[in-house]
Amino acid sequence: MSKVFYRKYRPQKFSEIIGQDNIKQTLQNAIKTNNIAHAYLFCGPRGTGKTSTARIFAKSIFCQKRKENESEPCTKCEFCTEIKEDNFIDLIELDAASNRGIQEIRDLKENIKTRPFKGKYKIYILDEAHQLTKEACNALLKILEEPPEYIIFILATTDPEKMIPTILSRVQRFNFQRLTQKDIIQNLKNICKKENITFDEPALKKIAILARGGMRDAESILSQIATVNNEISLTNVDDLTHNVHFSNIQEFVADMIKKDRKACLDFIYHLDDTGYSFDIFLANLLEYFRKLILLKESESLEKLFIEENTQEELDILKDQASTIDLDLTKIITELSTALYTIKNTPFPILSLELFIFKNIPCKK
Ligand SMILES: Nc1ncnc2c1ncn2[C@@H]1O[C@H](COP(=O)(O)OP(=O)(O)O)[C@@H](O)[C@H]1O
Ligand SMILES: [Mg+2]
Ligand SMILES: [Zn+2]
């Protein structure tokens, strides 16, 4: 069984692309009305569907069974099948990052001169378009100035700011958006069900948080966990992503609340054994205390963190915020300082020890 979900679950039709509604609608209208431009630019963060959409758009244009007024590819005809198998002669996919040389551009220019072999068009999908060299950009511009009627370019990039304005002015541009957490979780759930993987909801939410709107990253974390575990749990997610477990920080703060210096020191000596770096621990701790101070101010501020924490975690945070009687502004100031000094000291652990000594009063 293949566990590389982001390949296995690549959308094959417009209806399978999640989100990007305006883009899907505009492209589908262009197909229905046979009003297709010569050059498109798909911009947006990685893993939001640029390459998938480009292929579906091309497939639909080439599809032999698509009727007038339809915009979805049939996915079954000879051309659709060949495109799915990356094997269709008139759809040419290039990665600008690895096709930057003069020779490649010459080849491209030659290639463009010949008419399509099988379809009505020749479609070029040019990935990482911002990485094109100057020579390549100039060559591309020449082509875009007077494109042969059978040519369609789809440029894709995560970095449109790096594209030169003369190219930007000749393309129809679409901005792909990060996917919502809800959409990502729903999609992960569907995959788990199809793959017979057990999961708990907070774990899927955590994956969605880590993926920051990119579906590929979310699917990739899911498949990595599924390869070594038979269930998707919060601990498994944390293990994989090397975040200091929320529960670890929570424990450390609980020891601080109890003013148990010894337990806190034991904790950081143990932290060293587990291979977590001190600065990541400090950064996580700082983030945690920021939440505590805001929740102590008002529990309603939990809405700020609803995207980052599960409800169980928020309940623990609120509980600790209401019981802690240490000086939170002082702690946050000291943590910020420690985070800065820890990077410039030969004794990183000393920054943590000092933090503990300064902020947990000595028990008599
Ligand atoms: N909008 C989306 N809807 C459904 N799946 C998506 C979407 N965006 C990305 N994916 C998933 O991520 C994988 C990679 O997507 P891709 O289209 O190559 O993203 P990009 O080109 O924007 O980096 C796809 O195979 C699919 O599994
Ligand atoms: Mg891509
Ligand atoms: Zn077809």
Side-chain angles (χ1 to χ4, degrees):
M1 182 177 75
S2 162
K3 288 272 169 73
V4 187
F5 297 150
Y6 67 84
R7 255 191 241 132
K8 187 166 172 187
Y9 292 100
R10 186 183 277 288
Q12 297 299 331
K13 299 179 188 184
F14 285 111
S15 62
E16 291 171 6
I17 296 172
I18 301 165
Q20 324 301 0
D21 291 346
N22 293 336
I23 299 175
K24 282 188 289 191
Q25 204 186 354
T26 312
L27 291 176
Q28 285 181 274
N29 271 340
I31 294 171
K32 277 188 204 161
T33 56
N34 199 15
N35 199 356
I36 295 164
H38 282 293
Y40 295 88
L41 177 64
F42 291 179
C43 312
R46 57 189 242 123
T48 51
K50 300 182 296 298
T51 305
S52 308
T53 306
R55 287 196 193 150
I56 293 167
F57 186 49
K59 193 156 58 175
S60 192
I61 291 172
F62 285 125
C63 177
Q64 300 160 295
K65 295 250 173 78
R66 184 175 54 82
K67 300 197 182 66
E68 239 177 87
N69 250 319
E70 285 179 356
S71 57
E72 289 281 21
C74 79
T75 73
K76 306 240 158 53
C77 68
E78 184 193 329
F79 291 1
C80 280
T81 313
E82 287 183 8
I83 291 173
K84 183 169 185 199
E85 289 163 357
D86 283 337
N87 196 10
F88 184 65
I89 192 158
D90 293 325
L91 176 63
I92 299 116
E93 289 196 48
L94 296 168
D95 186 345
S98 52
N99 288 281
R100 297 158 53 89
I102 305 279
Q103 191 55 44
E104 275 93 0
I105 298 305
R106 269 194 208 131
D107 292 349
L108 181 62
K109 278 194 199 152
E110 282 308 304
N111 190 307
I112 281 167
K113 281 186 204 148
T114 59
R115 300 191 57 85
F117 288 94
K118 291 186 162 184
K120 210 174 131 198
Y121 294 97
K122 264 176 134 169
I123 302 184
Y124 293 84
I125 300 178
L126 202 58
D127 227 330
E128 307 290 343
H130 63 276
Q131 297 220 31
L132 286 172
T133 57
K134 207 168 147 228
E135 292 79 13
C137 280
N138 288 336
L140 182 62
L141 257 181
K142 278 239 169 66
I143 300 165
L144 294 184
E145 270 163 16
E146 267 180 277
E149 85 283 3
Y150 53 81
I151 292 286
I152 300 171
F153 270 101
I154 306 172
L155 313 180
T157 179
T158 47
D159 235 338
E161 292 75 30
K162 291 203 187 125
M163 306 273 308
I164 54 175
T166 37
I167 290 199
L168 291 179
S169 69
R170 292 193 179 272
V171 297
Q172 189 175 345
R173 174 170 172 171
F174 293 98
N175 295 318
F176 283 66
Q177 308 293 327
R178 289 182 196 281
L179 299 171
T180 65
Q181 221 171 70
K182 199 164 145 241
D183 282 345
I184 293 187
I185 294 172
Q186 188 55 49
N187 188 41
L188 294 178
K189 254 188 217 171
N190 293 344
I191 295 179
C192 285
K193 283 179 190 150
K194 283 186 197 141
E195 299 282 332
N196 269 323
I197 300 168
T198 47
F199 60 90
D200 51 42
E201 297 257 346
L204 297 189
K205 179 166 178 187
K206 191 68 180 273
I207 295 176
I209 290 168
L210 291 165
R212 298 180 51 243
M215 192 66 92
R216 193 213 334 256
D217 286 354
E219 291 173 350
S220 158
I221 296 172
L222 188 76
S223 55
Q224 286 177 58
I225 298 173
T227 309
V228 287
N229 301 284
N230 43 22
E231 62 160 345
I232 311 294
S233 69
L234 206 49
T235 323
N236 291 339
V237 179
D238 282 339
D239 279 347
L240 179 85
T241 52
H242 264 269
N243 261 347
V244 178
H245 296 184
F246 177 90
S247 57
N248 280 346
I249 303 260
Q250 172 218 326
E251 235 173 77
F252 181 83
V253 173
D255 288 335
M256 284 185 73
I257 293 174
K258 283 187 261 165
K259 309 205 169 69
D260 191 341
R261 267 191 188 186
K262 166 119 193 345
C264 288
L265 288 169
D266 279 348
F267 184 93
I268 59 168
Y269 299 139
H270 179 72
L271 190 74
D272 193 21
D273 299 338
T274 63
Y276 287 126
S277 65
F278 293 133
D279 53 343
I280 291 191
F281 173 68
L282 268 183
N284 281 331
L285 201 57
L286 181 59
E287 204 187 344
Y288 195 100
F289 271 104
R290 168 173 173 256
K291 289 175 184 168
L292 284 184
I293 200 171
L294 290 169
L295 291 173
K296 199 173 179 71
E297 184 66 27
S298 161
E299 291 204 346
S300 71
L301 290 171
E302 75 174 324
K303 64 178 182 289
L304 292 175
F305 314 124
I306 221 101
E307 296 270 293
E308 296 164 38
N309 288 101
T310 60
Q311 194 53 51
E312 290 79 358
E313 290 171 352
L314 286 173
D315 291 341
I316 293 168
L317 280 163
K318 282 187 286 188
D319 186 48
Q320 289 188 330
S322 66
T323 47
I324 197 162
D325 69 343
L326 297 168
D327 183 344
L328 292 180
T329 31
K330 178 161 169 276
I331 288 178
I332 288 174
T333 314
E334 304 253 346
L335 278 173
S336 312
T337 316
L339 197 56
Y340 180 75
T341 51
I342 202 164
K343 299 198 168 118
N344 304 301
T345 164
F347 300 112
I349 193 141
L350 186 62
S351 308
L352 277 166
E353 288 165 338
L354 272 179
F355 168 75
I356 292 169
F357 288 132
K358 280 190 189 164
N359 290 287
I360 305 174
C362 188
K363 273 192 194 154
K364 295 280 146 48

